[in-house]
Structure formats: C-alpha cells, structure tokens
Amino acid sequence: MFGPCGKILSCPMPTSTSLNSSGFSYKQLLLHFTDRSKPEEESGEKDMARKREGFCIFNLHASTCTVVLVISLLLPSLVASQCKRKPIVFNFGDSNSDTGGYSVALGANFGLPDGRTFFHEGTGRLSDGRLIIDFLCEGLNTSYLSPYLESLGPNFSNGANFAIGGSATLPRSKPFSLDVQVLQFLRFRSRSPLLLSRGYTNLVGEDGFKDALYTIDIGQNDLAGEFGYLPYSQVVQNIPSFIEEIRLAIWGIYKSGGKNFWVHNTGPLGCLPQKLATTAHDASDADEHGCLRFLNDAAQVFNRQLQSLCEELRSQMKDAIVYVDVFTIKYDLITNHAVYGFEDPLMVCCGNGGPPYNYNVNITCLKSGYTVCDQASRFVSWDGVHYTEAANSFVVSRILSTNYSTPPVSFNFFCNI
C-alpha cells in the first residue's frame, strides 16, 4: 500500500483552458467512464489490486466521469526513470504534510473515515486520503515518507518526514516546532550513516543527505494561532519573526550539507471553513467568493516575505531554493471550483451543522455526532482545515506544471543535478 506508484493519474475533466494553464503536454488522454453511484469507501477488490500493483488513482470527478491521464514521457517531473539517482526527500511542516507523525508521537488513533478514499484505514493523515507530499513522492516513483518518530517498521531509505500536526515556527523548543524538527533531523543526519556502516538497513548514507531534497510547508498555524487573540495589525507585525525561524531552519540544514530546498507558501487561510464558522464577520468582511479578506491578506503578507527570504537565500547559498505559490493554486481551486468538478468549496465533507459550512467546533470530524459526505471527491475541504485527497491531487497537478514555482524547475530537479 505504501509502495511506489505508476503513471496513471485521475484528474478533473480537462478543458482546453485548464490544459493550457497547467502547462502539461499529454501523449495520451484516455477517457474512462465509471459508475459514481456508490460512495468512495465502497471501492472493490479491483481498486485495491491497482494500488498494490502501483497505479495511482487521483479520484477527481468531472460530472460523472473520471479522466485517466497517461502521462507523456515528455514530463520528467512525473517520471521517476528520468532521475539519475535515487530520490531522497526530507519534509518539515505541520498537518498539511504530516503522514502520521502526530499519531505516533502522542499515541493518537485517527481511524476511519480518515484515510477511507485510498488507504481504507486511518494512517495518521488528516484527510480522506493522500496529502500533497504523498502525491509528490508518487511523482518521483518513491515510497511515501515514513514519519521520523515511527518505531514500527519504518523505511527511511528514501528520506523521512519530520512534519507534525499542530506545528508552527514559534514558540521555539516546543514539541514539535520547526526548530525541534530541524534538531531531530540533525540527529538523524549524524546517526544514519554511522548505523549504515554497522550493518543497519533502510537508512540514508552520506551522499544521500547531500543530494536530497528538503521540503518545507509551515506557517499556517502561526497565523491561525495569533488571530485567536491578536488584531490584524499585531499579527502582521509578528510575521517577520516567523520568517526568521524558517531562515534559521534552512540555514541549519544547509550547514549540515543540504543544498536543494523546496518551499511552499501558505494557503488562503480566510477560505478555511473552520475560520469562516468560528470568526465573527459580516458580508463586508468577505470577498466575492465568501472568504475572509483580512485572513487572506495576512497570508499574502507572510507569503511575500517568505518569497523575499527565498530570493535572498538563493543568492547567498548559490544553491537551489524553489519557492512554490500554493496560495494561488488553492485560491484558484476555490474560486473556479465548478470548472474543476467540485461543489461548494466552503462546505466540509466530514463535520456537523449543515450549510453554509457544515462545521461545528464542538462536533468536528471523528467526534461523536459528526456526519460524512458520500463523495469526498466533490469537496475541497475534508474537515474544515485540511483538504480532501481530490483537492490535494489538483494542487499537485499545478505544482508539477512548474508554472507556480520560482525558479520554474521540475520537482525532480534535485535527482538530476
């Protein structure tokens, strides 16, 4: 189940506009019409067999059909055979990229319906299926990243995931803030080659750390947490301190030999159903798509400073630091959801309360009284904070286009240098 995947992807029905905007060229486009009358959790043995064989079904719907895209060999960002060496990835962040770290760290059991769409069991991911980092690993044809704290059967030969749900850049030295994640990495960095020399397996050697890709996706919790008790002006004043922590993290990894960095900015905070349902506001506070302007404005202030940091470090380090504009991708998904085959993007699939957001702070997903939609693939939001697998796969399709990256390089650049 956690093995590498092949090159068959399922995406929303592409139009000429969406194909051009994604930057993809397709060698083949196969339309596979399937019966969508049953909920996703009722998938049969054939779907499981495909997953065991390594095929990836992105499971996005367009009307009642699934489009299966056989990716052209002209797309090296999705073809692992284009890598000149084994891809190794180390990830740092929060629940947006946590593949089970919080669960194993605290002994928390995230059962179904989390994980129902792809894994058919809870895996510690706060989604119905795969996360952005999972799809990116599939694009490299490498296994999903094991959480660093996983003690039962981890495989660290292709890297490790230090991301933990709830993490932020500040305060420092608090489990599992960004600086703590970097400290964990540095310990892993020092021990892994030594243990390999003693006969241990499923670890990373010295060259692997130098050639690896270091992905960072953090900041959402810093902003969300501060808006819980501070006004907009003070939150914005504190953003440079968040950015400084990211600078220190990148420098710490760089000084240990890391040279390839992939940095995601933060998404449209003001479009999260949780924020919309729990933040007092009137119509004048929302934009034309129903998102809270001041929260999105703060996210964009953070993003501009993060982009400036990446530009500065790129010139200082003389190595690869790629900045990815995830905000624009996600906001496009929300504002043009119907074009991409989604329904109301501000409604939660797994929650309670009904329209307009189906979010109840006292009855969230997995708590007694929650309800869950039949087809998560028609929803953007899984639980009010985290995206569905379908939404995550859309985001990845745009990331891999290179149209949202600065500089515009393929995701597999680091394993071809």
Side-chain angles (χ1 to χ4, degrees):
M1 182 179 295
F2 286 80
C5 279
K7 307 177 184 67
I8 294 184
L9 317 177
S10 168
C11 303
M13 176 75 77
T15 62
S16 59
T17 301
S18 63
L19 284 174
N20 291 336
S21 64
S22 69
F24 288 161
S25 298
Y26 298 110
K27 189 176 182 180
Q28 299 182 30
L29 179 60
L30 303 181
L31 299 184
H32 176 63
F33 294 88
T34 57
D35 178 11
R36 293 300 174 189
S37 60
K38 296 181 180 180
E40 287 99 334
E41 64 266 31
E42 297 180 14
S43 60
E45 295 180 0
K46 291 183 179 180
D47 286 339
M48 292 304 294
R50 290 191 188 100
K51 291 163 188 174
R52 286 192 292 269
E53 292 166 3
F55 290 96
C56 311
I57 303 300
F58 273 31
N59 204 23
L60 281 184
H61 296 177
S63 183
T64 59
C65 68
T66 297
V67 180
V68 180
L69 303 180
V70 180
I71 302 303
S72 167
L73 294 178
L74 297 176
L75 293 176
S77 61
L78 284 177
V79 183
S81 61
Q82 297 296 313
C83 277
K84 295 179 180 178
R85 55 175 173 266
K86 179 180 180 178
I88 296 174
V89 179
F90 294 101
N91 182 65
F92 305 83
D94 52 33
S95 57
N96 289 315
S97 60
D98 179 358
T99 54
Y102 182 94
S103 178
V104 298
L106 300 183
N109 180 28
F110 297 111
L112 294 172
D114 281 355
R116 71 177 191 179
T117 296
F118 180 77
F119 301 105
H120 302 287
E121 63 180 354
T123 63
R125 292 165 172 80
L126 295 179
S127 176
D128 63 310
R130 288 162 288 184
L131 309 180
I132 290 173
I133 189 65
D134 295 319
F135 285 121
L136 290 175
C137 285
E138 287 183 0
L140 297 170
N141 202 23
T142 190
S143 301
Y144 303 141
L145 297 180
S146 292
Y148 167 70
L149 297 177
E150 178 59 77
S151 60
L152 301 174
N155 181 0
F156 297 123
S157 62
N158 67 320
N161 193 355
F162 297 89
I164 299 283
S167 294
T169 66
L170 291 173
R172 293 178 61 92
S173 305
K174 175 183 177 182
F176 291 92
S177 56
L178 182 58
D179 70 304
V180 170
Q181 293 180 29
V182 173
L183 288 174
Q184 290 175 324
F185 163 75
L186 293 175
R187 182 178 186 276
F188 184 89
R189 171 74 176 82
S190 65
R191 296 285 294 169
S192 183
L194 176 63
L195 293 176
L196 276 176
S197 69
R198 295 177 178 175
Y200 288 82
T201 60
N202 294 329
L203 294 168
V204 178
E206 190 67 35
D207 290 341
F209 287 100
K210 296 176 182 177
D211 297 330
L213 181 67
Y214 297 88
T215 58
I216 299 175
D217 186 342
I218 200 166
Q220 178 174 306
N221 289 328
D222 291 282
L223 296 174
E226 297 232 328
F227 272 115
Y229 64 96
L230 292 176
Y232 177 88
S233 59
Q234 288 184 258
V235 173
V236 171
Q237 287 177 10
N238 291 338
I239 287 176
S241 62
F242 309 152
I243 301 300
E244 179 61 19
E245 291 302 314
I246 297 175
R247 176 201 302 274
L248 293 173
I250 293 176
W251 267 112
I253 297 169
Y254 177 74
K255 288 189 292 185
S256 76
K259 58 184 180 181
N260 306 307
F261 297 89
W262 188 271
V263 183
H264 289 182
N265 69 12
T266 198
L269 186 65
C271 300
L272 296 180
Q274 179 210 49
K275 295 304 175 188
L276 290 163
T278 59
T279 303
H281 65 279
D282 54 38
S284 64
D285 297 317
D287 63 18
E288 63 271 32
H289 305 290
C291 302
L292 293 177
R293 285 194 184 90
F294 76 98
L295 292 179
N296 282 350
D297 288 346
Q300 287 291 58
V301 172
F302 175 93
N303 291 338
R304 286 191 292 271
Q305 294 187 28
L306 181 61
Q307 184 172 21
S308 296
L309 170 66
C310 290
E311 292 171 354
E312 176 186 334
L313 293 179
R314 194 178 300 122
S315 64
Q316 294 175 353
M317 295 177 175
K318 308 300 181 184
D319 281 307
I321 299 181
V322 182
Y323 170 85
V324 185
D325 187 6
V326 173
F327 181 102
T328 295
I329 298 173
K330 290 184 174 180
Y331 193 66
D332 174 51
L333 171 59
I334 290 165
T335 58
N336 296 297
H337 59 277
V339 174
Y340 303 124
F342 291 86
E343 297 177 357
D344 188 344
L346 306 183
M347 274 280 288
V348 171
C349 173
C350 185
N352 177 272
Y357 309 119
N358 194 39
Y359 184 87
N360 182 336
V361 68
N362 297 313
I363 309 176
T364 55
C365 188
L366 299 184
K367 287 189 177 180
S368 178
Y370 79 90
T371 60
V372 63
C373 66
D374 287 338
Q375 294 190 337
S377 57
R378 299 186 184 276
F379 286 72
V380 172
S381 179
W382 170 241
D383 58 9
V385 177
H386 308 96
Y387 281 35
T388 61
E389 175 178 287
N392 285 330
S393 69
F394 171 89
V395 173
V396 171
S397 73
R398 294 301 190 260
I399 290 174
L400 294 178
S401 76
T402 74
N403 294 334
Y404 301 88
S405 303
T406 305
V409 298
S410 297
F411 182 66
N412 70 342
F413 78 92
F414 70 100
C415 54
N416 284 302
I417 299 174

